Amino acid sequence: MKNIILILCIGFLSITTNAQDAKAQIKFESEVIDYGEIAKGSNGVRQFKFTNTGNAPLVISRVYSSCGCTIPKKPEKPVGPGENGVIEVKYDTKRVGPIRKTITVYSNATEATKAIKIKGTVLDKSVLEKKN
């Protein structure tokens, strides 16, 4: 009887230890998206692709932009271990000038707060035509 209780206790402890080791991890294909030189009014939507390289579901609770000219969109559902996901970013290309923005991703990953960036330059169409 003592042996059965001992075996059950050891089994319970190993299950508890394995559950505590379960962690989500986020790995981006690229942490910076470079728009390059784009024309005013052009498509400002880009995607940050990532993989959950951990062994627990990844839940992105919030994505926050450093300015109202950039609108990020997070996945609504958890991303399972080994699965891919996307954070979509829409920049307002009606604003001419340099792009240097940070998007902060909050999640249950081992690195709970992650900064990703967009950069580039929005040019007036006439300026862009002269360059080409």
Side-chain angles (χ1 to χ4, degrees), residues 58-110:
L58 172 68
V59 178
I60 296 178
S61 55
R62 182 174 176 219
V63 286
Y64 173 80
S65 172
S66 59
C67 120
C69 58
T70 308
I71 302 169
K73 184 178 176 186
K74 70 179 185 69
E76 293 302 316
K77 296 182 181 178
V79 177
E83 292 181 357
N84 299 316
V86 170
I87 293 174
E88 187 176 276
V89 176
K90 182 177 182 181
Y91 182 77
D92 180 4
T93 59
K94 294 177 187 163
R95 300 167 185 240
V96 174
I99 304 169
R100 300 279 183 274
K101 304 300 174 194
T102 300
I103 295 94
T104 307
V105 179
Y106 300 91
S107 71
N108 68 329
T110 51

Side-chain angles (χ1 to χ4, degrees), residues 123-131:
L123 299 174
D124 192 72
K125 289 180 184 180
S126 61
V127 173
L128 198 55
E129 287 171 359
K130 286 180 186 177
K131 287 187 142 198

